[in-house]
Amino acid sequence: MNDDSMYIILVGCGRVGAQLATMLSQEGHAVVVVDDDPDSFNRLSGNFSGSMVQGNGIDEDVLRGAGIERADAVVTATNGDNTNIMVAQIAQDIYEVGRVVARCYDPVRSKAYEMLGLKTICPTTVGAEMLRETIVAEDAE
Amino acid sequence: MNDDSMYIILVGCGRVGAQLATMLSQEGHAVVVVDDDPDSFNRLSGNFSGSMVQGNGIDEDVLRGAGIERADAVVTATNGDNTNIMVAQIAQDIYEVGRVVARCYDPVRSKAYEMLGLKTICPTTVGAEMLRETIVAEDAE
């Protein structure tokens, strides 16, 4: 643990969530991963040093069990935009977590929630832009 | 069409493929979108000015029908890593298309194919890194 270490709750242990959990725990942050499918925790690498909570992230009892009342950050990366946005709003508006970000596949909703003050990452837009850059970059050939 | 305009084949008209198709056609490139599900073309915006080919991108007849023999670039963004890599390899190795990039969700295979000379974009790694940056950035609060 270094001085900048945070208590971070990650909701959704899919490919992205599992990779992020390992990155953050290796950096010295205290990480709790929440997923309603216990098999999903198999995606965590052997280098993950945080803890796991089985349950649905939109259930406040589950979030409290994961320690949301003392969380510095909440990241939502389940496969469902609705769940990601709802959990992020609960974290930001009810528990006043300082750093919250939601994954949102739908570019239109991603922009709309950004305007409403919720940080989102839209893999659709990011993916399209990265593929475009690879193809149209002047040094591509 | 400007002088830098390219003939680009996009295999896979999911959210990312559809957004990329619109971006590239609006930039003046000639874009052909290939997908085996005709309903997927409904994702293309009204601003898309390219053409659509229904069929499976691993079928060389479909690729030739889409004009792969004169393509400057091929992008693969179906939901399947196997399909994306196979189509990209056909484009690069058989048709010698100059600019080829494949989407590959599996970070391990993405790196392996990069070493084999195939450009890949891994949304898993990119997504995890972007979420991480949002949370740990010094100015996040």
Side-chain angles (χ1 to χ4, degrees), chain A residues 12-13 17 32 42 55 68 81 87 94 110 138:
Chain A
C13 194
V32 179
N42 294 329
I68 195 165
D81 282 359
V87 175
I94 297 177
S110 182
E138 287 180 324

Side-chain angles (χ1 to χ4, degrees), chain A residues 29-80:
Chain A
H29 300 290
V31 179
V32 179
V33 181
V34 177
D35 201 295
D36 54 7
D37 177 8
D39 290 340
S40 71
F41 300 130
N42 294 329
R43 294 195 182 95
L44 294 163
S45 96
N47 297 319
F48 174 67
S49 58
S51 56
M52 292 90 86
V53 170
Q54 189 200 343
N56 191 317
I58 60 174
D59 180 341
E60 285 193 49
D61 288 339
V62 170
L63 292 176
R64 278 194 294 268
I68 195 165
E69 285 154 322
R70 61 184 183 280
D72 300 300
V74 169
V75 181
T76 62
T78 75
N79 283 327

Side-chain angles (χ1 to χ4, degrees), chain A residues 64-127:
Chain A
R64 278 194 294 268
I68 195 165
E69 285 154 322
R70 61 184 183 280
D72 300 300
V74 169
V75 181
T76 62
T78 75
N79 283 327
D81 282 359
N82 289 336
T83 297
N84 292 340
I85 285 163
M86 188 179 299
V87 175
Q89 288 184 322
I90 291 170
Q92 187 163 297
D93 297 341
I94 297 177
Y95 292 97
E96 298 179 340
V97 176
R99 304 180 184 205
V100 175
V101 58
R103 179 167 67 175
C104 182
Y105 283 104
D106 181 345
V108 176
R109 290 206 297 166
S110 182
K111 273 188 194 168
Y113 281 104
E114 283 279 344
M115 286 193 294
L116 291 170
L118 187 67
K119 279 196 187 167
T120 63
I121 295 290
C122 180
T124 309
T125 301
V126 171

Side-chain angles (χ1 to χ4, degrees), chain A residues 6 15-16 19-20 23 27 73 75 99 105 107 119 121 124-126 128 130-132 134-135 137 140-141, chain B residues 6 15-16 19-20 23 27 73 75 99 101 105 107 119 121 124-126 128 130-132 134-135 137 140-141:
Chain A
M6 292 187 284
R15 277 186 283 220
V16 168
Q19 187 166 339
L20 181 58
M23 287 163 63
E27 288 170 11
V75 181
R99 304 180 184 205
Y105 283 104
K119 279 196 187 167
I121 295 290
T124 309
T125 301
V126 171
M130 289 193 70
L131 289 167
R132 180 192 161 278
T134 307
I135 288 299
E141 273 184 303
Chain B
M6 293 187 284
R15 277 187 283 220
V16 168
Q19 186 165 339
L20 182 58
M23 286 163 61
E27 287 170 12
V75 181
R99 304 178 185 206
V101 59
Y105 283 104
K119 278 194 185 168
I121 295 289
T124 308
T125 300
V126 171
M130 288 192 71
L131 289 168
R132 180 193 161 278
T134 306
I135 289 299
E141 273 184 301

Side-chain angles (χ1 to χ4, degrees), chain A residues 5-18:
Chain A
S5 77
M6 292 187 284
Y7 187 94
I8 301 171
I9 299 176
L10 281 180
V11 180
C13 194
R15 277 186 283 220
V16 168

